[in-house]
Amino acid sequence: TQLLEQSPQFLSIQEGENLTVYCNSSSVFSSLQWYRQEPGEGPVLLVTVVTGGEVKKLKRLTFQFGDARKDSSLHITAAQPGDTGLYLCAGPSNTDKLIFGTGTRLQVFP
Amino acid sequence: GAVVSQHPSRVICKSGTSVKIECRSLDFQATTMFWYRQFPKQSLMLMATSNEGSKATYEQGVEKDKFLINHASLTLSTLTVTSAHPEDSSFYICSAREARGIGQETQYFGPGTRLLVL
């Protein structure tokens, strides 16, 4: 069974701080995606990484795919209250279904 | 970008009644749609995969007779929670896969439906 474990599970920080969220698996994934979900809404795709070692930047967010394609990280620089939400990594399973990580709930206080 | 809608966004029902949730791809055709369930403060769990014109495939532990899925067209899938009970209360999210070619499939998510069974 392919599992995606995220850490930390919860993160509460002050505005302006930096943070990193990790997504780890013992399985190799052809690609990984990162989503942000706000309460009462569906997840919104932030980025897809497909190449081992790939780094993608989206404003203050930096995403990295591990060289072995078993892990990924999301780094946020100078977090803002608007970054608050549930961050989910996800990847296609062996049966081509999208499976989600355990999630990281981020709270950024002003 | 592609849009997926769900209706209703919220529903409250009495225990024992059935509830139907619709999922529509508004500007693209989706040969495959997925239904997820999300409990408070948890991640999304895949319930079933539906392909247009064929029976849905359910994940282990999901009762197919309780969660009826119909994918009658390339833009509409429905999830019916039959004889709902309080433990079925959850946030149900659908997603639709847009096929653009091999290796270019993108999955778009609906806004979710909050179900509360009293």
Side-chain angles (χ1 to χ4, degrees):
Chain A
T1 304
Q2 293 172 289
L3 295 174
L4 287 167
E5 296 281 346
Q6 287 183 237
S7 62
Q9 190 176 359
F10 300 99
L11 197 52
S12 183
I13 61 173
Q14 290 293 129
E15 181 177 3
E17 292 185 26
N18 302 332
L19 66 114
T20 302
V21 177
Y22 299 94
C23 174
N24 294 293
S25 177
S26 58
S27 305
V28 175
F29 283 85
S30 59
S31 65
L32 280 179
Q33 298 179 328
W34 283 92
Y35 292 82
R36 180 169 66 209
Q37 185 184 24
E38 301 195 20
E41 299 181 10
V44 175
L45 179 65
L46 297 174
V47 77
T48 301
V49 285
V50 296
T51 306
E54 180 178 8
V55 176
K56 281 191 173 179
K57 291 192 175 184
L58 184 65
K59 296 184 180 179
R60 293 176 294 101
L61 278 60
T62 302
F63 305 85
Q64 185 164 7
F65 200 10
D67 291 340
R69 289 184 288 129
K70 292 183 178 181
D71 56 87
S72 181
S73 64
L74 157 61
H75 182 79
I76 302 179
T77 303
Q80 298 178 1
D83 296 327
T84 293
L86 177 65
Y87 288 83
L88 298 159
C89 64
S93 70
N94 293 333
T95 53
D96 203 29
K97 298 173 186 176
L98 193 63
I99 58 173
F100 281 85
T102 48
T104 295
R105 192 165 296 278
L106 172 65
Q107 177 79 53
V108 183
F109 291 97
Chain B
V3 177
V4 175
S5 70
Q6 280 185 241
H7 178 80
S9 58
R10 295 170 181 257
V11 57
I12 301 174
C13 69
K14 292 182 179 180
S15 184
T17 61
S18 294
V19 174
K20 179 185 285 188
I21 303 170
E22 292 186 349
C23 176
R24 294 180 184 273
S25 56
L26 297 186
D27 49 5
F28 67 98
Q29 293 186 332
T31 53
T32 305
M33 288 186 171
F34 304 87
W35 286 95
Y36 294 82
R37 181 166 54 183
Q38 184 178 32
F39 291 108
K41 299 186 179 181
Q42 293 187 23
S43 186
L44 280 72
M45 295 297 294
L46 181 64
M47 297 175 66
T49 303
S50 73
N51 293 292
E52 186 264 338
S54 63
K55 289 185 178 180
T57 303
Y58 291 81
E59 296 299 303
Q60 192 172 7
V62 178
E63 299 175 59
K64 62 179 181 181
D65 294 331
K66 181 168 187 62
F67 299 99
L68 301 179
I69 292 173
N70 183 278
H71 193 161
S73 77
L74 287 172
T75 59
L76 173 64
S77 176
T78 60
L79 167 67
T80 301
V81 183
T82 62
S83 186
H85 287 93
E87 57 266 29
D88 298 324
S89 298
S90 188
F91 193 51
Y92 292 87
I93 303 172
C94 75
S95 72
R97 178 183 283 172
E98 179 183 23
R100 298 179 179 176
I102 296 175
Q104 298 182 51
E105 296 171 330
T106 302
Q107 201 166 317
Y108 299 96
F109 286 83
T113 296
R114 174 80 57 194
L115 170 64
L116 177 61
V117 185
L118 301 177

